[in-house]
């Protein structure tokens, strides 16, 4: 498909400011991810900050540079600014600081749930909860109950995150799964990832369509969407 790119010429660098891959996951998952990517030939640079990207050069915090015409920036999400709140209620990543009931400090009736909030009152998560769908879902359900209780003048229930586990795909056919009491990896973990992510898709038809699309991509190894641009001379010769 890409005649101008000679096989084995490309290099992939994974630059991360943290001291490990998959920061929020278990040590076993972190080590597995590192090993799998290393074996695939990825150059992993940990404890390394990306400072800038200028004229096809990635400039690192230590002053070194990597020549690259392609940069994929995946350094996480940042919350939207919520104007009107006091500055001290906004924490890291612009997340709004809330108490154990998801209520914004120094307000009576402003509640924030999910990715947009940071809560430090949950014993098992003293540094706040990970930005995951389950956290948002569980906080949403509890807040709905708590709002009814508030209306009825009853005592509110504090939020405690029930961690059902987390998983990550680390390469084709390989994943890692952290359960509250256990860990598994490899092809089986990859299959489990696929099933778990199909289950919440709404409607049988959508589930079937997604499963088929995945299956087709996996067996053909051929992305159907692509844009191939050749230098003008080559295009005329072809
Ligand atoms: C690429 C990616 C992959 C992820 N993979 C996983 C995963 O595998 N498993 C997992 O558990 N989590 C995953 N997450 C995280 C997960 O998506 C979030 O934790 C979860 O969606 C948080 O839910 P939320 O309701 O807080 O926010 P969101 O789901 O982001 O919902 C917020 C909504 O508010 C809307 N909105 C924003 N501003 C306004 C406004 N001013 N007015 C009206 N609407 C507004 C947005 O459009 C959005 O629809 C992933 C996130 C990303 C980005």
């Amino acid at each position: 498909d890409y005649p101008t790119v000679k096989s084995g010429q490309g290099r992939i660098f994974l630059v991360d400011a943290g001291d490990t891959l998959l920061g929020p996951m278990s040590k076993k998952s972190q080590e597995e991810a590192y090993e799998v990517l290393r074996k695939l030939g990825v150059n992993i640079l940990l404890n390394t900050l990306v400072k800038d990207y200028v004229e096809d050069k990635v400039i690192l915090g230590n002053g070194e540079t990597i020549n690259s015409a392609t940069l994929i920036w995946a350094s996480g999400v940042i919350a939207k600014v919520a104007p009107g709140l006091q500055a001290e209620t906004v924490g890291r990543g612009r997340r709004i600081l809330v108490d154990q009931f998801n209520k914004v400090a120094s307000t009576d009736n402003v509640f924030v749930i999910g990715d947009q909030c940071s809560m430090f009152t949950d014993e098992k998560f003293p540094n706040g909860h990970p930005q995951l769908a389950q956290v948002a879902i569980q906080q949403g359900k509890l807040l709905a109950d708590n709002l009814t209780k508030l209306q009825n003048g009853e005592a509110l229930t504090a939020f405690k995150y029930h961690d059902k586990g987390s998983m990550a795909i680390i390469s084709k056919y390989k994943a890692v799964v952290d359960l509250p009491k256990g860990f598994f990896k490899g092809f089986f973990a990859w299959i489990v990832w696929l099933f778990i992510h199909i289950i919440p898709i709404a409607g049988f038809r959508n589930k079937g369509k997604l499963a088929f699309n995945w299956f087709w991509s996996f067996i053909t190894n051929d992305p159907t969407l692509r844009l191939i641009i050749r230098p003008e001379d080559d295009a005329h010769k072809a």
Side-chain angles (χ1 to χ4, degrees):
D1 281 346
Y2 303 97
T4 50
V5 180
K6 297 204 172 55
S7 149
Q9 249 186 2
R11 286 188 304 161
I12 298 174
F13 285 86
L14 197 166
V15 185
D16 200 315
D19 58 2
T20 176
L21 300 177
L22 299 179
M25 295 192 71
S26 70
K27 200 155 174 54
K28 281 183 181 165
S29 289
Q30 294 168 352
E31 287 168 0
E32 174 70 5
Y34 188 93
E35 262 323 287
V36 168
L37 292 176
R38 193 186 60 77
K39 281 186 190 149
L40 282 172
V42 177
N43 299 287
I44 303 168
L45 307 180
L46 298 176
N47 297 307
T48 309
L49 209 75
V50 172
K51 244 172 69 182
D52 211 342
Y53 181 54
V54 185
E55 292 171 356
D56 288 353
K57 273 193 176 56
V58 182
I59 302 169
L60 306 179
N62 57 14
E64 288 175 16
T65 58
I66 301 169
N67 292 328
S68 178
T70 308
L71 174 77
I72 299 173
W73 186 256
S75 64
V77 292
I78 194 159
K80 290 212 170 192
V81 180
L85 290 175
Q86 290 173 3
E88 57 270 24
T89 59
V90 181
R92 195 169 158 237
R94 298 196 198 128
R95 296 175 81 183
I96 297 166
L97 307 178
V98 294
D99 65 13
Q100 67 272 40
F101 310 116
N102 283 92
K103 189 169 72 64
V104 181
S106 71
T107 68
D108 290 331
N109 54 2
V110 180
F111 296 86
V112 181
I113 58 168
D115 280 5
Q116 179 87 57
C117 76
S118 276
M119 182 192 285
F120 300 106
T121 48
D122 194 341
E123 279 161 21
K124 287 189 183 156
F125 299 88
N127 299 319
H129 301 106
Q131 285 172 296
L132 290 174
Q134 268 303 318
V135 175
I137 292 167
Q138 292 178 27
Q139 286 185 340
K141 284 182 178 164
L142 182 72
L143 182 58
D145 284 348
N146 273 340
L147 289 178
T148 310
K149 286 182 178 168
L150 198 65
Q151 237 175 1
N152 298 338
E154 297 166 26
L156 306 188
T157 309
F159 179 72
K160 285 200 177 0
Y161 176 46
H162 172 47
D163 185 4
K164 296 179 176 177
S166 43
M167 47 179 69
I169 286 194
I170 49 178
S171 77
K172 198 166 185 185
Y173 306 127
K174 283 191 177 140
V176 282
V177 176
D178 284 337
L179 294 174
K181 285 184 184 146
F183 158 84
F184 59 99
K185 63 179 183 179
F187 183 70
F188 179 63
W190 183 77
I191 294 284
V192 171
W193 189 100
L194 298 183
F195 272 102
I196 298 279
H197 284 79
I198 278 190
I199 291 168
I201 302 292
F204 182 76
R205 206 170 149 176
N206 291 337
K207 285 188 214 290
K209 229 162 117 181
L210 180 63
F212 176 77
N213 287 344
W214 281 354
F215 176 72
W216 191 249
S217 303
F218 294 138
I219 59 164
T220 59
N221 221 358
D222 189 20
T224 46
L225 281 179
R226 58 161 76 78
L227 188 62
I228 301 173
I229 302 169
R230 294 181 190 165
E232 224 168 74
D233 283 355
D234 286 7
H236 285 304
K237 276 183 230 154

